[in-house]
Amino acid sequence: MVTWEFFLEGLYITILGVTVVFLVLSILALAMYGIGYLERVLIERETPVVETKPKEEKVELKVEEKPAIEPKKLAIITAAILAYLAEKNTQLKPLPFKKKPSEAWRLYGVQSQIEEVENFNYEMGAW
């Protein structure tokens, strides 16, 4: 037979446990905010104040970049290849772009995205 004493004792232990957990989490959150504030203050002290000089206007020369192959020559080469393939009665085959990239590329993409988020949070001061 269960009495109210056992129920109340369990209720007290539950309330005590939840209170202790949230108290410890609050202390950890305050410590992390304090460390972030201290780090920001130390970084601001270390960065030297740079005097701004008037900017000098840069004169940019526009240089036309020529393609490696002139367009006329490229058209002639393409026409020659297509004529050769037409003579052999072969058709151009589409390249298989559906090939799955290796797992290393996917992991590198995930890693670079995480680094970008961490750098953004660090620069913005969003801890």
Side-chain angles (χ1 to χ4, degrees):
M1 186 164 155
V2 176
T3 62
W4 285 102
E5 294 173 2
F6 293 130
F7 178 73
L8 289 176
E9 184 179 355
L11 185 65
Y12 291 143
I13 290 173
T14 302
I15 291 173
L16 180 67
V18 170
T19 304
V20 167
V21 166
F22 281 108
L23 183 66
V24 169
L25 288 175
S26 300
I27 292 170
L28 286 174
L30 289 174
M32 290 177 69
Y33 281 118
I35 290 171
Y37 175 76
L38 181 65
E39 185 175 351
R40 270 184 263 132
V41 169
L42 291 176
I43 288 174
E44 288 174 2
R45 279 189 195 170
E46 288 178 2
T47 55
V49 177
V50 178
E51 296 180 13
T52 57
K53 296 180 181 178
K55 293 183 179 179
E56 298 176 7
E57 294 184 24
K58 295 182 179 178
V59 178
E60 294 183 20
L61 299 175
K62 294 184 180 180
V63 179
E64 291 184 27
E65 294 183 19
K66 294 185 178 179
I69 300 176
E70 294 177 13
K72 286 184 180 180
K73 290 182 181 178
L74 182 63
I76 293 171
I77 293 171
T78 305
I81 292 173
L82 290 175
Y84 173 75
L85 291 176
E87 188 178 311
K88 286 183 78 174
N89 292 330
T90 59
Q91 294 182 354
L92 296 175
K93 296 179 184 176
L95 295 175
F97 286 111
K98 295 180 181 179
K99 185 176 180 182
K100 182 179 176 184
S102 69
E103 187 71 15
W105 284 106
R106 187 187 69 80
L107 294 176
Y108 177 74
V110 171
Q111 178 186 2
S112 62
Q113 288 175 355
I114 290 173
E115 288 174 356
E116 288 175 8
V117 170
E118 288 175 353
N119 291 338
F120 176 76
N121 288 338
Y122 182 74
E123 291 170 2
M124 296 300 294
W127 312 108

